[in-house]
Amino acid sequence: MAKQVKLFQSLLKHSARLQPNLKCKCTKNVIHSRSLHSGSIYEQKTSWSAVSTYDEAFRRSVETPNEFWGEAAENISWFKKWDRVLDDSNSPHTRWFVGGEMNTCYNCLDRHVEKGFGDMNAIIYDSPVTNTVQRITYTQLLREVAKLAGALSNLGVKKGDRVLIYMPMIPQAMATMLACARLGAVHSLVFGGFAAKELSTRINHAAPKVIVSASCGVEPNRIVDYKPILESAIAQSEHKPDKCIIYQRHGLEKAILDPQMDVNYHDVVSAAKPHDCVPVLATDPLYLLYTSGTTGTPKAIIRPNGGHAVVLYWSMFNSYGIKPGEVWFSGSDLGWVVGHSYICYAPLLHGNTTVLFEGKPVGTPDPGTYWRVIHDHGVAAMFTAPTALRAIRREDPKGAYMKKYFLGHFRELYLAGEHCDHETLEWARDTLQKPVIDHWWQTETGSAITCSNMGLGNNPYPPAGVAGKPVPGWNIKVLRQDMTECDVDELGIIVAKLPLPPCAMSGLYKNDEKFLSAYFKTFPGYYDSTDAGFIDKEGNIAVMSRVDDVINVAGHRLSSGALEEAMLEHPDLAEAAVVGVPDTLKGHVPLGLCVVKSGTKKHSTDIVKEVVQCVRDHIGPVAAFKQAVIVPRLPKTRSGKVARNTIASMASGKSFKVPASIEDPGVYPQLAAIFKQMGYVDLGEPEM
Ligand code: COA
Ligand code: AMP
């Protein structure tokens, strides 16, 4: 530990050299965090708002974005400096750091080792499901990544090629991401909880030259064999990779490799020579990340190398108050954007130690597991989803497990991924006696859109229900459909005035039409977040819900359309609809409505069971699709569109008005009777 502290102190000096203003900002923040720990947390509210540097940073970021992000970019090592910070001549195809050449892996690893911080831990892999704790230094990680890049190169992977990663939460998954970045190859990491069909859709679309996978994942209740899922996905995909690299996990059953297609991770890495960093343009893609949209086909977000590195580095201190050398823990999964940005890239870019946690907030082995990790590894701040806190609270309402651990060094808990309910937020603040900060994100944005911006002196205790103020670079407005601005506290659509800041997606892979129509068409000149919310009188943003057909389940985004397509794989279904209904643990869970083909003889209970299995087989267990019901028909508009919002309101117990465009309003009393029978709230007859 003493060695780590010494390294941290010298890293701070090194960072202050890189970032001329950091020293004075840091000093200010140290004062803040000290005062934060003394006395009652609630006493701090006024002093925080009094010393804000946020307003100035925000103003500069929107008035002179060139200057603002140009300065931030000085903290990144460039092989060739950019010609222009911002090129917005073809908006919304905004380009940042045009002409600049860099390498994200170099910035994450090599430069820290070259500066003498190779002995510092880059990753602490903590896996309660395999009973493992492993510390990996920057030097060790660099060695592994350079050799893995060599192995990928030996298999023909070069700059611009796609590599698909389908791996559990193990250090080799992060090493593969970084090895791709090192080569200038574009990774596409797919979450382990997806079924073969979803994986095959991504393989077909990304057309990877190589796939890197592992023998298995470990869920608390079962081992997930990855190899059969991968084989089935490749069989279903028209595109076939040249090779699959398979990592055989220690102490667990080994996968059987196909000598034609598969190579062993350990063998190819051992045999390879280390590969150097390949310079890429700032505007070249670092990764593709698939996310759910309104339709069944997922969208592949393109993340550019340069802007991503600049903003993520900047955010570690300015948004999260984290100083280089500190330990940071993001309790998410590498398969989601939060995992990409805040398990892997941001902490490494910034010279921090990142905790890679393979487990669940509860049951591995108990609801104290997050607090143990914070205690054992000296975590300064953490990021997780409200669902995780709800799960912990359910099992440990009085915080008895939390009290078993010393958390004096722990400063803040950040939440995102879904709307955080007041009760959970207040419970966490009271129990932890630390700031618990909700902030708003999307896969598209790559980093937070709103936050308490701890490094800039924002109030760490905004009222429950809001997700902080816009992060510099995000010029947020709340609009009515006619594009006029909403009043304070008035619900509307949250949009961001263009240009978007440098970390935002640069496009949708192989789907520019969708890029333009999904995000920029409804409100010209703005990015449409498809989230509804409002701005309060302090300028905080509250994010309430999606306005499209995306359901947020435990912080995971699921498309109603994709779930319906999976339901319709059942031969006896004529029609299907999926809506999100409130769930005390996961925020929302999907509910499926099935219309059975006439003449079907099968018993309805069997059909429901099979439909549930169908969704699990096609989308995967992550959909948490466990409830379905047979209905005689669906409410539809005259143009044939299923009125999902009215079904969702009805099943959630919210009152609603039947839209005039509904073809047959008589369907609602039928649905009401069915929902009542299922135990959903009885609303009586809806308003016609
Ligand atoms: N590989 C394979 N299967 C996976 C998986 C993975 N990586 N992750 C989840 N699954 C499976 C689970 O085993 C479960 O399967 P089951 O239906 O057989 O039980 C199913 O997918 C649903 O998983 P999950 O959403 O994790 O629910 P859970 O009931 O197992 O656990 C929580 C509940 C609260 C512990 C869990 O939802 C959680 O940790 N939520 C936090 C989410 C989060 O951090 N989101 C970050 C987004 S920023
Ligand atoms: P994803 O792209 O999977 O990260 O999901 C993004 C969506 O999650 C957003 O569009 C919101 O609907 C929701 N979301 C994320 N963070 C928050 C938050 N802090 N409050 C409310 N909703 C959130």
Side-chain angles (χ1 to χ4, degrees), residues 10 41-42 51 145 176 245 266 290 439 511 617:
S10 70
I41 45 177
Y42 296 102
V51 289
V145 167
T176 311
I245 301 179
H266 179 75
Y290 286 83
H439 66 322
N511 205 347
D617 292 345

Side-chain angles (χ1 to χ4, degrees), residues 129-441:
V129 290
T130 59
N131 224 350
T132 311
V133 174
Q134 186 191 358
R135 291 177 174 78
I136 301 166
T137 66
Y138 272 91
T139 298
Q140 289 166 335
L141 184 59
L142 173 58
R143 204 177 297 141
E144 172 92 356
V145 167
K147 291 197 78 178
L148 179 53
L152 286 166
S153 167
N154 291 344
L155 294 175
V157 175
K158 50 187 191 322
K159 183 170 156 178
D161 287 339
R162 272 82 53 221
V163 173
L164 189 136
I165 307 172
Y166 185 59
M167 294 178 103
M169 290 284 287
I170 53 176
Q172 290 72 19
M174 279 178 66
T176 311
M177 294 166 80
L178 293 159
C180 291
R182 194 168 188 85
L183 292 175
V186 181
H187 63 71
S188 169
L189 195 148
V190 180
F191 176 63
F194 282 122
K197 179 77 187 357
E198 284 292 305
L199 181 57
S200 84
T201 306
R202 288 153 173 81
I203 294 174
N204 219 19
H205 191 258
K209 196 166 190 76
V210 167
I211 295 180
V212 185
S213 188
S215 46
C216 63
V218 183
E219 281 295 292
N221 55 353
R222 66 188 191 287
I223 297 289
V224 182
D225 287 322
Y226 277 33
K227 198 64 208 328
I229 300 174
L230 182 60
E231 276 168 11
S232 160
I234 296 173
Q236 291 176 61
S237 165
E238 265 175 50
H239 171 84
K240 312 287 176 199
D242 291 356
K243 284 284 171 213
C244 294
I245 301 179
I246 308 292
Y247 178 77
Q248 301 279 21
R249 296 195 65 178
H250 300 292
L252 296 163
E253 204 172 313
K254 304 284 177 269
I256 299 165
L257 303 193
D258 168 358
Q260 302 298 318
M261 176 59 91
D262 303 328
V263 290
N264 182 307
Y265 177 104
H266 179 75
D267 294 348
V268 289
V269 172
S270 311
K273 289 207 172 77
H275 201 294
D276 233 335
C277 291
V278 174
V280 297
L281 288 174
T283 45
D284 280 340
L286 170 67
Y287 67 76
L288 304 180
L289 181 56
Y290 286 83
T291 188
S292 299
T294 311
T295 64
T297 318
K299 304 181 280 194
I301 303 300
I302 305 172
R303 187 81 57 215
N305 268 279
H308 173 256
V310 169
V311 174
L312 290 193
Y313 181 100
W314 177 92
S315 70
M316 283 302 284
F317 178 74
N318 291 289
S319 289
Y320 300 107
I322 289 289
K323 295 171 280 287
E326 291 190 311
V327 184
W328 164 264
F329 171 26
S330 186
S332 179
D333 190 287
L334 286 168
W336 311 119
V337 67
V338 171
H340 276 58
S341 295
Y342 288 100
I343 296 175
C344 184
Y345 288 113
L348 296 183
L349 284 163
H350 197 243
N352 290 105
T353 299
T354 184
V355 176
L356 179 68
F357 176 75
E358 190 184 27
K360 303 271 177 181
V362 293
T364 59
D366 57 44
T369 196
Y370 277 0
W371 321 127
R372 177 200 50 83
V373 168
I374 293 171
H375 168 267
D376 286 0
H377 307 309
V379 171
M382 178 188 177
F383 190 148
T384 192
T387 294
L389 281 192
R390 284 194 291 271
I392 294 170
R393 181 183 174 209
R394 199 159 77 168
E395 293 196 12
D396 185 23
K398 296 208 154 48
Y401 281 90
M402 191 189 281
K403 288 185 193 117
K404 292 201 309 196
Y405 301 100
F406 173 73
L407 306 180
H409 54 280
F410 181 61
R411 295 199 295 267
E412 295 101 20
L413 176 61
Y414 292 90
L415 300 178
E418 58 187 308
H419 182 76
C420 185
D421 55 288
H422 288 221
E423 273 195 0
T424 305
L425 189 94
E426 272 152 15
W427 171 82
R429 281 182 179 172
D430 287 347
T431 321
L432 260 174
Q433 290 286 298
K434 314 259 180 191
V436 178
I437 298 173
D438 186 11
H439 66 322
W440 173 46
W441 264 75

